[in-house]
Amino acid sequence: EDANGNSTNGKVAEKATTYVYAIGEIEARFPTMSIEKEFAQASGRSDTSGLTDNQLMYEVLKKPENRYLRRNLCWVMKVQGIETYIVLPRYAQDYELLVETLPSNPDKKEVDVVIGALGPVAKPQMCNGLQVPIVVVDQLYSFRLEEHAQAIPRPDNFKAKDFDPAAMELFSRVMQITDNAGATDEHRALNYVAMRYPAIYELAMNMYGNENSLASIETRPSRLSQGTRKILGVKFSFRNRKTDVLTQYFTRVDVSGEFPFLVSKLAEGFEN
């Protein structure tokens, strides 16, 4: 840290030319046996009765006197169960956000979203031999899948018991797209739409209600891209279960900078 309490992790991001918009799960690990033993001593000063290991980790790390432990742990992000990134906050105070990603309820499925700059591959000693790219984080938040579905505006003709599972299924389809680590422009655009554009879920619900199935999701450069602007079209294709007729809708997302944003709303058809 510098004299103002800012993390020097920002130096890693200065050399990065690739942005990340990743969706997955973050977990805390001990980079060395020394840190693990120090955590055990800190745990011994807390009431751990009835706590799971994850709950214990959360209770210990959230205490102000254990800030040093937060900074010395290794924070790993898994995408589709695969160790994909080591996460470093740009500022030291943001380690509190990492602590909040720890699952406090083992019965609830939680998802973490990381937006930041891609750095180099970590050295072996950084995280007990794990060598994956570092991401310097500018924005981090967590949510439960059930909460994400409940936050989506529900069409009047859908009951919550039907809408929520269908919305969660669409979100899962986005996450299962091959190699979606959130580091390419295509995946950043798709992940942005999945997280910030509820209209795609409303569309899917209406299409399901009219006996259509989601056939495919495609992302490709838009013809509107000019100069340094990178605009991508995200296309959703639905096929009628009875007539086999294909219906397509698309939206456009600008991924020129670190934070994507919507360029055009959903429209029927597709770009040539």
Side-chain angles (χ1 to χ4, degrees), residues 29-42 68-74:
R29 297 185 182 178
F30 302 111
T32 64
M33 184 176 293
S34 172
I35 299 301
E36 185 173 2
K37 295 298 184 182
E38 179 63 22
F39 178 85
Q41 292 187 55
Y68 72 102
L69 283 173
R70 305 173 192 169
R71 297 192 294 269
N72 281 284
L73 288 177
C74 176

Side-chain angles (χ1 to χ4, degrees), residues 252-264:
R252 299 186 184 96
V253 179
D254 190 310
V255 294
S256 306
E258 181 175 8
F259 301 96
F261 60 90
L262 198 69
V263 174
S264 61

Side-chain angles (χ1 to χ4, degrees), residues 94 227 230:
D94 287 345
K230 292 186 290 186

Side-chain angles (χ1 to χ4, degrees), residues 12-249:
V12 178
E14 291 174 1
K15 299 180 181 179
T17 57
T18 301
Y19 294 121
V20 171
Y21 197 124
I23 304 174
E25 299 175 16
I26 294 175
E27 61 182 40
R29 297 185 182 178
F30 302 111
T32 64
M33 184 176 293
S34 172
I35 299 301
E36 185 173 2
K37 295 298 184 182
E38 179 63 22
F39 178 85
Q41 292 187 55
S43 302
R45 298 189 292 269
S46 304
D47 180 10
T48 64
S49 177
L51 298 180
T52 66
D53 290 340
N54 283 329
Q55 290 170 329
L56 171 63
M57 179 82 73
Y58 175 78
E59 292 298 326
V60 171
L61 294 180
K62 75 176 185 179
K63 293 183 177 181
E65 62 268 27
N66 292 328
R67 286 193 297 266
Y68 72 102
L69 283 173
R70 305 173 192 169
R71 297 192 294 269
N72 281 284
L73 288 177
C74 176
W75 298 88
V76 178
M77 184 173 201
K78 289 184 174 181
V79 177
Q80 298 182 45
I82 298 174
E83 298 161 335
T84 306
Y85 302 115
I86 291 176
V87 177
L88 290 178
R90 191 177 295 277
Y91 301 103
Q93 55 265 37
D94 287 345
Y95 275 100
E96 294 181 11
L97 299 178
L98 283 172
V99 174
E100 293 303 321
T101 67
L102 297 175
S104 56
N105 187 338
D107 297 327
K108 300 287 187 177
K109 176 70 172 177
E110 294 190 349
V111 177
D112 304 310
V113 180
V114 164
I115 303 173
L118 188 66
V121 173
K123 295 181 180 180
Q125 60 268 31
M126 185 175 185
C127 192
N128 199 22
L130 179 63
Q131 291 186 271
V132 295
I134 296 169
V135 172
V136 179
V137 181
D138 286 308
Q139 186 177 15
L140 167 66
Y141 59 94
S142 305
F143 62 94
R144 292 173 179 165
L145 287 179
E146 297 85 355
E147 295 172 346
H148 183 59
Q150 292 167 4
I152 298 168
R154 177 165 50 89
D156 294 336
N157 59 333
F158 274 91
K159 297 180 180 179
K161 67 180 183 67
D162 299 322
F163 180 83
D164 292 355
M168 292 169 62
E169 178 184 329
L170 178 60
F171 180 82
S172 297
R173 286 283 297 272
V174 171
M175 295 304 96
Q176 291 168 5
I177 289 178
T178 305
D179 298 329
N180 184 353
T184 66
D185 290 338
E186 290 79 9
H187 290 156
R188 290 173 60 227
L190 181 58
N191 289 349
Y192 167 81
V193 168
M195 293 307 309
R196 296 296 181 87
Y197 193 37
I200 66 169
Y201 297 96
E202 295 182 63
L203 167 67
M205 297 309 102
N206 286 320
M207 296 302 290
Y208 293 157
N210 291 318
E211 300 188 78
N212 291 275
S213 295
L214 179 62
S216 65
I217 306 174
E218 300 176 53
T219 308
R220 62 182 63 179
S222 170
R223 59 188 178 186
L224 296 182
S225 296
Q226 295 181 1
T228 58
R229 289 194 70 186
K230 292 186 290 186
I231 300 175
L232 278 75
V234 182
K235 181 176 69 175
F236 297 84
S237 299
F238 296 86
R239 191 176 299 279
N240 190 276
R241 297 163 187 159
K242 291 184 177 179
T243 66
D244 205 37
V245 172
L246 192 69
T247 307
Q248 297 175 324
Y249 291 82

